[in-house]
Amino acid sequence: MPLSSHRRLAMSATLITALVAGVAPATSAFATPAPAGAAARAAAEAPAVPSPDMEGVTAALNAAMADGAPGAMARFTGPEGVRSRTVGVQDRVSGAPMDIHSRFRIGSVSKTFSTVVLLQLVQEGRLELDAPVNAYLPGLLPDDRITVRHLLTHRSGLADYTNAMFEHTVPGFEAVRNRVFSYQELVDLSLSEPRTTEPGVSYKYSNANFVVVGMLIEKATGRPVSDAYERRIFQPLKLRGTSYVHPDTRIKGLHVRGYLHPDEEGGALVDSTEQTVSWAQSAGAVISSPADLNTFTSALMRGRLLSPAMMDAMTTVTPTDTTNTRFYGLGLRRYDLSCGTRVYGHTGTVQGFYTYTFSTRGGGRSLSAMANTSNHGAANTALGGTLEAAFCGKKPAAAASRAAASATAEAVTSLPAERDLPERH
């Protein structure tokens, strides 16, 4: 036998010996190996993961269009691969059809990105979750009892300044469309209003919390929040369609145009695509795409971005309403679906765009959905119907006596969407 063949055989034997040596202790440390066939029986007895009901997803997208969105789209990733659906247009002027590769403003889904960065800083010992915010930003808040954790769970009591800012939707938006705020100015707007609750007492959603989160990130890193997003999330996950460009008003490359409903019924839609989103910043100014959002939520739920301890903290949730199906952790929503599946992620609203992006706890299945409108809650609720269809699949045969459209309509209208911004209708 040639010398090179002897070397290859020797190397192969060495590798096999090393692998066995590495695996055997781990096996004996935890349990005796299962009898032959036990693993197969356990797999057979495990509940089957339902295939996504893409007809139901499409029905939900069409329902969002019927409720005022020019277009909508959804992208699902799971064991069977990637499936996507688009309806309507992404540009009302050109008539360009909705494109699953297009980018858009993700609104409050940005809060989950901000939370990941902050929790990484906690892991590194630069911040503590239960330390007062004023320990890091002296004198910023009027109450030393408000902690970092209170911000991430929306339990600080800081008033949401966007309620007054967008009391009149279109005039309010036009007043800030091109304005550049400092973080301090936004905090001052919140502090000019009465606080909503004592620190830690109850959940009350407020964009002001994540403005302060942005300030904490910049104080701890000494760099703009855009740098933290880029180095800690965008680059490691190769999210090439995701960016934070504040205060630039443009969405570069292929993108969806957003359309804002006025408060007056029947009024003309306002193209709200170009804006600084300076009124939100670390609370809502990230731009992304369906594929990147799937990648982000899957990676997060698989533990690629945070330690097990931080993931446990992030996914420890409390109810946000009385339905016992909606919960909030640290910058993360949990929805309990009708089939028993729990999904984690966030909703997003920014002028002209509604977004849902959720994943199962292990990251094996993910959905991102977007409709290019806002200030029209029915469209937001309808878009939420993509979650049931994607993660729970088709309804059982016993419940299928009604027409599919009726079943979908019932599912998507059962609970109103949670609001990340004020809604007038």
Side-chain angles (χ1 to χ4, degrees):
M1 184 181 289
L3 181 60
S4 59
S5 298
H6 282 295
R7 285 175 176 168
R8 284 197 296 271
L9 286 170
M11 288 175 66
S12 298
T14 302
L15 285 170
I16 291 168
T17 302
L19 285 170
V20 171
V23 171
T27 302
S28 59
F30 292 104
T32 302
R41 286 196 299 274
E45 292 169 1
V49 173
S51 294
D53 175 12
M54 298 310 293
E55 290 180 2
V57 169
T58 302
L61 300 179
N62 282 326
M65 278 188 62
D67 284 316
M73 61 179 165
R75 184 181 189 272
F76 178 82
T77 61
E80 300 170 3
V82 177
R83 300 187 182 186
S84 61
R85 296 291 185 271
T86 62
V87 299
V89 299
Q90 65 182 28
D91 187 326
R92 296 178 71 228
V93 175
S94 71
M98 187 63 69
D99 190 320
I100 200 66
H101 302 102
S102 292
R103 305 169 72 228
F104 51 90
R105 301 191 185 280
I106 66 173
S108 288
V109 177
S110 306
K111 291 178 171 66
T112 306
F113 284 83
S114 297
T115 300
V116 167
V117 171
L118 193 71
L119 292 181
Q120 287 181 352
L121 294 171
V122 172
Q123 287 177 185
E124 295 162 13
R126 304 200 209 182
L127 298 164
E128 294 182 11
L129 278 175
D130 294 310
V133 172
N134 283 347
Y136 305 109
L137 299 168
L140 178 71
L141 303 181
D143 193 329
D144 287 339
R145 295 175 299 166
I146 299 175
T147 67
V148 176
R149 190 187 301 272
H150 291 151
L151 299 177
L152 297 176
T153 56
H154 292 290
R155 289 174 174 267
S156 68
L158 295 176
D160 192 343
Y161 57 86
T162 65
N163 291 328
M165 183 177 284
F166 303 124
E167 181 180 3
H168 303 290
T169 302
V170 172
F173 166 65
E174 295 295 0
V176 301
R177 181 198 282 263
N178 295 304
R179 185 169 172 182
V180 178
F181 291 92
S182 68
Y183 280 130
Q184 185 65 58
E185 286 176 307
L186 297 176
V187 171
D188 290 345
L189 288 174
S190 172
L191 296 180
S192 68
E193 301 179 27
R195 279 184 279 163
T196 58
T197 182
E198 291 294 304
V201 171
S202 61
Y203 170 88
K204 188 68 174 178
Y205 192 91
S206 174
N207 287 286
N209 291 317
F210 279 80
V211 168
V212 181
V213 166
M215 297 178 78
L216 287 169
I217 290 170
E218 295 196 348
K219 182 64 180 288
T221 64
R223 300 281 298 162
V225 72
S226 57
D227 179 73
Y229 288 144
E230 191 69 35
R231 291 192 304 105
R232 293 172 177 269
I233 304 177
F234 300 169
Q235 289 181 3
L237 296 184
K238 298 180 181 178
L239 305 183
R240 296 184 177 89
T242 305
S243 59
Y244 180 85
V245 298
H246 173 266
D248 193 344
T249 61
R250 298 167 295 167
I251 305 177
K252 295 179 180 178
L254 183 67
H255 64 273
V256 181
R257 300 202 70 83
Y259 298 95
L260 177 61
H261 275 80
D263 293 341
E264 301 75 27
E265 287 285 357
L269 296 179
V270 174
D271 187 325
S272 52
T273 311
E274 280 80 31
Q275 58 165 307
T276 63
V277 200
S278 192
W279 60 266
Q281 300 188 49
S282 48
V286 173
I287 295 164
S288 194
S289 68
D292 277 9
L293 290 176
N294 287 156
T295 297
F296 171 64
T297 54
S298 293
L300 175 60
M301 289 297 109
R302 285 175 174 151
R304 289 183 57 192
L305 295 171
L306 295 171
S307 69
M310 285 296 99
M311 283 305 301
D312 285 345
M314 194 177 193
T315 55
T316 298
V317 297
T318 55
T320 59
D321 59 21
T322 59
T323 66
N324 209 35
T325 61
R326 294 169 169 179
F327 304 84
Y328 207 90
L330 303 183
L332 196 70
R333 295 194 187 279
R334 189 187 92 191
Y335 286 169
D336 293 359
L337 304 178
S338 65
C339 57
T341 297
R342 292 176 171 177
V343 293
Y344 297 81
H346 217 289
T347 54
T349 301
V350 62
Q351 290 88 356
F353 303 93
Y354 287 132
T355 302
Y356 285 74
T357 184
F358 285 83
S359 177
T360 50
R361 181 62 180 84
R365 293 182 289 156
S366 297
L367 174 89
S368 295
M370 186 279 305
N372 57 342
T373 196
S374 67
N375 197 39
H376 211 275
N380 194 6
T381 299
L383 187 68
T386 57
L387 296 175
E388 282 280 333
F391 291 106
C392 292
K394 289 186 179 295
K395 300 296 179 184
S401 56
R402 292 166 294 188
S406 298
T408 302
E410 180 180 280
V412 300
T413 58
S414 57
L415 286 174
E418 292 187 285
R419 296 179 176 181
D420 301 318
L421 279 183
E423 298 274 4
R424 298 307 162 200
H425 56 75

